[in-house]
Amino acid sequence: MVKEMDKVDMGHHLSNSHHMKIQWEEFFKSKDETLAKKATLVEKASIVGRVGLMILSCGTGSWKVRDSMNTIARALDITCSADIGLLTIDCTCFDVNNQSYSQTLTLPATGVNMTKLNELERFVRQFEAGDGNWNIGQIHRRLGEIEHLKSRYTPAIAGLAAAIACAGFIFLLGGGLPEIICAFFGAGCGNYTRMKMGQKHITMVAKVATAVFVACVTYFLAFQLLHFIFDIRSSHIFGYIGSMLFVIPGFPFITAGLDLSKLDMRSGLERMAYALLIIIMATTVGWATALLIGIHPGDMTKLGLTPINLTIFRLIASFCGVFGFSLMFNSKINYAALTAVIGAISNTLRLSLVDYGHMPPALAAFVGVLLSGLLASFIREKVGYPRIAITVPSVVIMVPGLYMYRAVFNLGLTRISLGAYWATEAIMIVIALPLGLIAARILTDSKWRHAS
């Protein structure tokens, strides 16, 4: 019979008394010079759990977390069985002596950090290549270095990234130069506010609500200034929606679909609920702010561009949008630019299929995302960067934030049929996005397309 050791509930903290910091070194009685393969089961399981929790904190899906934990476990000659959610990991490790050790590991919050994910994936590959022949001290030092990696970008740079992303976003939604300028300042101020609140570990709901409010009000003030100086049309106010789109939870939306496709139901459903919470909070605050300052969504002024010029500008705007989102996800500039090229091609194809091919938006989104996934698979083999760090930022710009907002705005005014129309349009596209990546992954990744 398997003998189960004590189950230890361990939390991870920021500066929150509800989540106690794990003192990982206290689980290790062996000396730093001891090879990990010679360590006790508790020590081996702690290495596996720590790696899994760190990868989960980067925002990736449960499949990648489990795959990395299994890779470390095999190198240490143990077996790992893990149940993974949005913030928690329940795992049990077994050794050849029929002993087991269980852990419950918890994060206080989730986020996205592609630079840290890249370093962790590199560690896992190196550990596997060395067949686990690292000593305890080496593992502690390397994981400690990765764990303490600071964000590559200050709140000011993150604000600028959001400004660039939303400026591109609003053009793709039909906005002109006034909307681009106002969305630039609105999104920049909004995301700067969110990042500063994040440094103080303010809860997610408060960060999103405040950021959206600041973005909408800043857009309104920028519009009033332009209206006063240049007497621009009042219809340019409708672009305020673009200023709040930096809060779109693209990563949890996409990873939720990927997890569900692998039957990781717990993680998939938790990620979907988390994404919906952000969307509901952002759109509700945007709706309330719009009513407070007396604005409402509407159709923006037609740009009157020729098909060729429109396509060129869409390529540029898509590049800016994806590049900005990639920086917000803490990607390196060179990888962000590479991702932006993929996103520019696939998103422009999507929009062209809708406008000139008269394809339904959801089907066009599927084709565009499928192309992103195929291009990302090819490029990943060349650069070795995490696939999800390339694919997700390139398709976040396709998430129908405008449709979601219009759905909530009309529902808030009890315009049920109109709200349901926009909600249905949004749901169809949201379903199509992960399906495109799933199809690309099945076609290009033999490990992914098998159940075990």
Side-chain angles (χ1 to χ4, degrees):
M1 180 178 293
V2 176
K3 179 182 178 182
E4 184 172 357
M5 294 183 174
D6 293 337
K7 189 171 185 177
V8 181
D9 184 85
M10 294 184 282
H12 191 65
H13 94 308
L14 291 177
S15 59
N16 191 326
S17 60
H18 294 294
H19 295 274
M20 299 177 66
K21 181 178 177 59
I22 302 175
Q23 304 297 333
W24 292 104
E25 290 78 5
E26 294 183 1
F27 289 89
F28 291 82
K29 305 303 180 184
S30 301
K31 296 180 179 179
D32 283 355
E33 297 78 19
T34 303
L35 287 178
K37 276 196 169 184
K38 303 295 183 180
T40 65
L41 175 60
V42 173
E43 294 167 338
K44 291 179 179 180
S46 297
I47 294 171
V48 173
R50 184 179 184 184
V51 170
L53 195 66
M54 289 176 67
I55 293 178
L56 184 65
S57 72
C58 296
T60 190
S62 64
W63 186 87
K64 172 54 66 178
V65 176
R66 182 179 289 105
D67 182 62
S68 299
M69 294 175 70
N70 289 343
T71 299
I72 299 294
R74 291 190 192 99
L76 294 175
D77 296 328
I78 60 176
T79 301
C80 175
S81 177
D83 182 26
I84 301 165
L86 174 68
L87 297 174
T88 58
I89 299 176
D90 297 307
C91 65
T92 300
C93 292
F94 306 85
D95 65 9
V96 293
N97 297 318
N98 289 332
Q99 288 188 320
S100 67
Y101 181 75
S102 297
Q103 302 176 95
T104 297
L105 308 172
T106 306
L107 293 168
T110 185
V112 180
N113 191 325
M114 292 299 98
T115 296
K116 185 177 288 188
L117 178 61
N118 184 42
E119 292 300 319
L120 285 166
E121 286 198 4
R122 182 181 301 172
F123 168 80
V124 172
R125 291 194 300 268
Q126 292 172 343
F127 195 86
E128 181 182 28
D131 197 27
N133 290 316
W134 290 42
N135 63 45
I136 299 297
Q138 287 176 307
I139 295 172
H140 281 323
R141 284 191 295 272
R142 184 62 187 132
L143 291 181
E145 290 171 358
I146 298 173
E147 193 169 35
H148 291 96
L149 281 176
K150 295 182 179 179
S151 175
R152 300 185 62 84
Y153 308 109
T154 63
I157 298 299
L160 179 60
I164 294 172
C166 289
F169 222 137
I170 196 60
F171 174 83
L172 297 171
L173 295 175
L177 186 59
E179 288 91 344
I180 291 173
I181 294 172
C182 295
F184 181 91
F185 286 103
C189 292
N191 199 44
Y192 174 80
T193 301
R194 182 173 66 161
M195 296 302 293
K196 293 297 289 185
M197 294 178 71
Q199 289 182 339
K200 298 182 181 297
H201 311 302
I202 304 298
T203 186
M204 181 270 295
V205 171
K207 287 192 299 183
V208 171
T210 304
V212 170
F213 176 79
V214 169
C216 290
V217 171
T218 303
Y219 184 101
F220 177 75
L221 294 176
F223 166 78
Q224 293 295 342
L225 182 60
L226 290 179
H227 182 68
F228 176 76
I229 297 174
F230 301 105
D231 194 28
I232 61 174
R233 294 180 182 179
S234 58
S235 60
H236 293 300
I237 192 66
F238 298 145
Y240 75 94
I241 298 171
S243 67
M244 68 175 78
L245 294 179
F246 64 90
V247 300
I248 287 177
F251 249 88
F253 258 137
I254 302 302
T255 53
L258 295 175
D259 285 346
L260 289 173
S261 73
K262 296 294 290 183
L263 300 184
D264 282 322
M265 305 304 290
R266 174 188 170 190
S267 177
L269 293 174
E270 287 183 12
R271 288 176 184 278
M272 185 60 68
Y274 172 73
L276 290 174
L277 175 61
I278 294 177
I279 288 295
I280 291 171
M281 177 58 58
T283 53
T284 302
V285 172
W287 166 69
T289 306
L291 292 180
L292 181 65
I293 58 182
I295 56 179
H296 59 85
D299 295 325
M300 287 172 275
T301 305
K302 296 292 183 180
L303 298 177
L305 298 173
T306 64
I308 294 178
N309 288 335
L310 181 59
T311 300
I312 293 173
F313 282 120
R314 279 176 170 174
L315 283 167
I316 297 172
S318 297
F319 179 93
C320 291
V322 176
F323 182 76
F325 274 114
S326 295
L327 295 186
M328 289 168 61
F329 297 150
N330 205 39
S331 292
K332 294 181 179 179
I333 290 179
N334 55 337
Y335 290 123
L338 183 62
T339 303
V341 171
I342 296 175
I345 295 171
S346 59
N347 191 53
T348 302
L349 172 64
R350 173 184 72 94
L351 295 172
S352 298
L353 289 174
V354 174
D355 288 348
Y356 310 125
H358 307 292
M359 186 177 289
L363 182 56
F366 174 84
V367 174
V369 174
L370 176 62
L371 178 61
S372 280
L374 294 175
L375 290 174
S377 297
F378 173 76
I379 290 175
R380 180 184 180 278
E381 299 298 327
K382 306 296 182 182
V383 301
Y385 204 58
R387 186 194 308 264
I388 197 169
I390 301 174
T391 55
V392 176
S394 69
V395 303
V396 166
I397 200 168
M398 303 183 193
V399 176
L402 173 63
Y403 294 178
M404 295 174 182
Y405 175 75
R406 284 186 168 180
V408 172
F409 187 93
N410 285 288
L411 290 173
L413 297 178
T414 65
R415 299 170 184 166
I416 305 302
S417 60
L418 190 56
Y421 167 79
W422 287 113
T424 302
E425 289 278 357
I427 290 170
M428 292 301 296
I429 295 175
V430 167
I431 292 173
L433 297 180
L435 287 179
L437 288 183
I438 291 167
R441 197 71 181 266
I442 290 173
L443 291 172
T444 60
D445 189 344
S446 60
K447 193 173 183 180
W448 172 271
R449 62 175 169 260
H450 291 91
S452 62

